């Protein structure tokens, strides 16, 4: 199989929810010479988008969404060491969280992984995170950037109130706030007073590099 076919196999494995095969398919793609970031974006992430489309079409249900999350995690195992670098000086601290009310964390975790690989200290607060925890972490770690992830349209309220709380705490001049995740847009970022929007994990890294 050529490189492209192996990446397509990774995508298919995710869509078929084949948790036993996914790590092997990722390794085959890497052995065929594929760039780890391409395996991630065009294989694992594209597969997850396809799972989401099936869920929306009523072909997949919550059980399949849960399993897809586990398949993604299993597929990341051979990729993670290739996406992580430890030999660079810190570029500053980023506090990362999925907003209150939202438990999707795979995309946020990828953003954290890529930021870390690019030399940022990442304080990952996890998912369903209340604004006050974010504010406390910014103060404790003297963070320069807050990264907020959000995948559920109803949680735009939560995203907006997190940005407002950061401002009320008097930290808005101290930190840049960036957002990302399915259903966020550059327009939304502007509307709620953020400094930027990342389409994917690499875009988040480029934004953070711009800010430091
Ligand atoms: Co849910 N879910 N889910 N889900 N889920 C979506 C988001 C959905 C679009 C599916 C669909 O209907 N097509 C839909 C949301 C619709 C909407 O509101 N617009 C949805 C729904 C409805 C739900 C529930 C409400 C279902 C239910 O209970 N009936 C429920 C909500 C629970 C809650 O949060 N309160 C729910 C639950 C779940 C699971 C827990 C089962 C599971 C998550 C497991 C986990 O995260 N640990 C899950 C999954 C897996 C999905 C889909 C299929 C895949 C998400 C994912 O992990 N993608 C998703 C469909 C979709 O997104 N199209 C869906 C892979 C990941 C790497 O990509 O997160 O987009 P993503 O991150 C990308 C970019 O967005 C970006 O970079 C990442 C890498 O490129 N990015 C950032 C993300 N954060 C960023 C931050 C940045 C910058 C970039 O800066 C800070």
């Amino acid at each position: 199989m050529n490189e492209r076919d192996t990446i397509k196999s990774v995508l298919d494995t995710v869509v078929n929810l084949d948790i036993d095969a996914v790590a092997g398919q990722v390794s085959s793609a890497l052995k065929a010479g594929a760039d780890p970031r391409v395996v991630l974006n065009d294989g694992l992430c594209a597969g997850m988008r396809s799972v989401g489309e099936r869920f929306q079409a009523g072909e997949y249900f919550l059980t399949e969404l849960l399993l897809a999350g586990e398949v993604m995690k299993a597929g990341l195992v051979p990729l993670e060491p290739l996406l992580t670098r430890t030999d660079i000086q810190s570029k500053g601290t980023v506090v990362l969280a999925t907003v209150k009310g939202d438990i999707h964390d795979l995309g946020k975790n990828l953003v954290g992984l890529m930021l870390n690989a690019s030399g940022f200290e990442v304080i990952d607060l996890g998912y369903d995170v209340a604004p006050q925890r974010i504010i406390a972490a910014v103060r404790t770690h003297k963070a320069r950037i807050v990264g907020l992830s959000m995948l559920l349209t109803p949680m735009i309220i939560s995203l907006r109130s997190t940005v407002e709380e950061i401002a009320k705490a008097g930290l808005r001049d101290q930190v840049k706030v960036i957002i990302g995740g399915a259903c966020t847009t550059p327009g939304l970022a502007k509307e709620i007073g953020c400094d930027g929007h990342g389409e994917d994990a690499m875009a988040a890294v480029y934004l953070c590099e711009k800010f430091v």
Side-chain angles (χ1 to χ4, degrees), residues 49-61:
R49 279 194 294 276
S50 189
V51 168
E53 282 157 18
R54 286 175 190 223
F55 176 71
Q56 211 157 17
E59 292 165 33
Y60 277 1
F61 300 95

Side-chain angles (χ1 to χ4, degrees), residues 120-136:
F120 288 90
E121 299 275 345
V122 176
I123 308 297
D124 187 343
L125 301 178
Y127 54 81
D128 189 22
V129 182
Q132 292 312 319
R133 279 191 59 213
I134 295 170
I135 290 164

Side-chain angles (χ1 to χ4, degrees), residues 10-88:
V10 172
L11 188 157
D12 291 340
T13 313
V14 176
V15 176
N16 296 330
L17 307 169
D18 193 344
I19 195 157
D20 296 324
V22 68
Q25 289 295 349
V26 167
S27 299
S28 300
L30 294 171
K31 269 192 209 121
D35 183 319
R37 287 165 303 182
V38 178
V39 180
L40 179 62
N41 284 326
D42 300 357
L44 294 177
C45 290
M48 292 297 273
R49 279 194 294 276
S50 189
V51 168
E53 282 157 18
R54 286 175 190 223
F55 176 71
Q56 211 157 17
E59 292 165 33
Y60 277 1
F61 300 95
L62 200 53
T63 320
E64 280 84 9
L65 280 195
L66 273 169
L67 188 51
E70 296 309 311
V71 174
M72 173 96 194
K73 282 185 204 160
L76 275 174
V77 172
L79 279 179
E80 267 180 12
L82 304 171
L83 298 170
T84 311
R85 261 176 42 202
T86 51
D87 57 339
I88 30 186

Side-chain angles (χ1 to χ4, degrees), residues 107-128:
K108 167 191 66 61
N109 295 348
L110 280 184
V111 171
L113 189 75
M114 297 301 227
L115 281 171
N116 211 262
S118 310
F120 288 90
E121 299 275 345
V122 176
I123 308 297
D124 187 343
L125 301 178
Y127 54 81
D128 189 22

